[in-house]
Amino acid sequence: MKRMRWILVLGAVTVGLAAGALGSCAIDDEITWINGEQCSGGCERAGAESFSCDTDDACTPTSTCTDWDCADDDAPPPEDAGTDTTREVPDAAADAGGDGDPYSDVTDPSGDADAETDEGTGFGCVPSGGGDSRETAVDLTLGVPLADLTACAAPSRWFRFTVAAGVRFEVDLVPAPEREVEFLLYAQDGSPVAGADMAADGDYNAAAESAGVFLLRVRAIGDGPVGYSLAVRELP
């Protein structure tokens, strides 16, 4: 495999699992962990093998890695997902079943009784916020949160931010209660450097040893749509 040019100055090629945080290590000479990455609360780090195949914008899964590009390739175009296959968000007061879930009483306009989720053939999911691809990633300003975003299992959404050398930063990615989202973090050259599953009470932080641009890719875990907010902040 062709070597990629790293934008991050990396430390020793080791994994500090015993210390509770991952150090810098290379995977297949292509994928490199950033330095000082850690999760707390409802944040769970993704194993490196789970995203090691995602080195470009093509669907190239392996036995241990499910490439997000495969799911994105199979997702319907926004114009299709936004027509008669999209669930309208009902008024919470319209919960005729009294079960606290206004969606449970919504009928399927397609007539397909088996198509009740975004993973079926009926209801589509239309994400909001972020860009459609690496090239159209939406710029994030450090410390400025984005709210009222919507994640789907596919297509994923892209954001971009820049940090200075030596800066520790926190990815504050908060889904709706009892829902989860996941992210992949890429270096500017497109190589994945970290990943995590995020619940409402978790946070993720890392250190950038040199100045650089990161790409953040977000998608929902399970059925969508999942509302969430996003902010990237510098840490002391």
Side-chain angles (χ1 to χ4, degrees):
M1 298 173 70
K2 181 182 177 181
R3 276 184 171 276
M4 291 185 176
R5 178 182 176 188
W6 309 118
I7 64 167
L8 298 177
V9 178
L10 301 170
V13 185
T14 56
V15 182
L17 292 176
L22 287 175
S24 304
C25 68
I27 306 166
D28 294 335
D29 292 329
E30 294 267 348
I31 296 117
T32 305
W33 287 91
I34 60 178
N35 183 267
E37 174 260 2
Q38 67 182 49
C39 272
S40 62
C43 173
E44 181 177 351
R45 289 183 303 217
E49 70 282 354
S50 69
F51 59 82
S52 61
C53 62
D54 193 0
T55 57
D56 52 32
D57 57 2
C59 174
T60 54
T62 67
S63 60
T64 58
C65 174
T66 302
D67 193 331
W68 288 20
D69 294 308
C70 301
D72 282 7
D73 289 348
D74 292 337
E79 59 270 19
D80 293 340
T83 57
D84 61 348
T85 60
T86 300
R87 296 179 98 166
E88 293 184 2
V89 180
D91 190 314
D95 179 20
D99 57 2
D101 179 9
Y103 283 112
S104 64
D105 308 307
V106 179
T107 58
D108 178 5
S110 68
D112 183 355
D114 295 327
E116 296 181 352
T117 72
D118 305 308
E119 298 176 341
T121 59
F123 296 122
C125 180
V126 181
S128 67
D132 298 322
S133 65
R134 299 168 190 258
E135 293 73 25
T136 61
V138 170
D139 289 316
L140 296 173
T141 301
L142 296 183
V144 178
L146 297 180
D148 299 324
L149 305 174
T150 302
C152 302
S156 53
R157 309 304 289 170
W158 292 83
F159 302 88
R160 178 175 51 233
F161 61 94
T162 302
V163 293
V167 168
R168 292 196 63 82
F169 61 90
E170 177 182 76
V171 177
D172 188 9
L173 182 59
V174 184
E178 300 184 4
R179 303 303 301 271
E180 291 183 89
V181 292
E182 58 184 341
F183 74 80
L184 290 181
L185 189 67
Y186 300 82
Q188 189 173 16
D189 63 7
S191 57
V193 292
D197 300 343
M198 305 288 286
D201 60 345
D203 60 74
Y204 165 93
N205 66 77
E209 293 190 352
S210 61
V213 175
F214 290 94
L215 294 170
L216 187 69
R217 190 178 190 182
V218 179
R219 72 176 183 179
I221 296 178
D223 299 341
V226 175
Y228 70 100
S229 63
L230 170 62
V232 178
R233 301 182 176 91
E234 290 189 13
L235 294 175

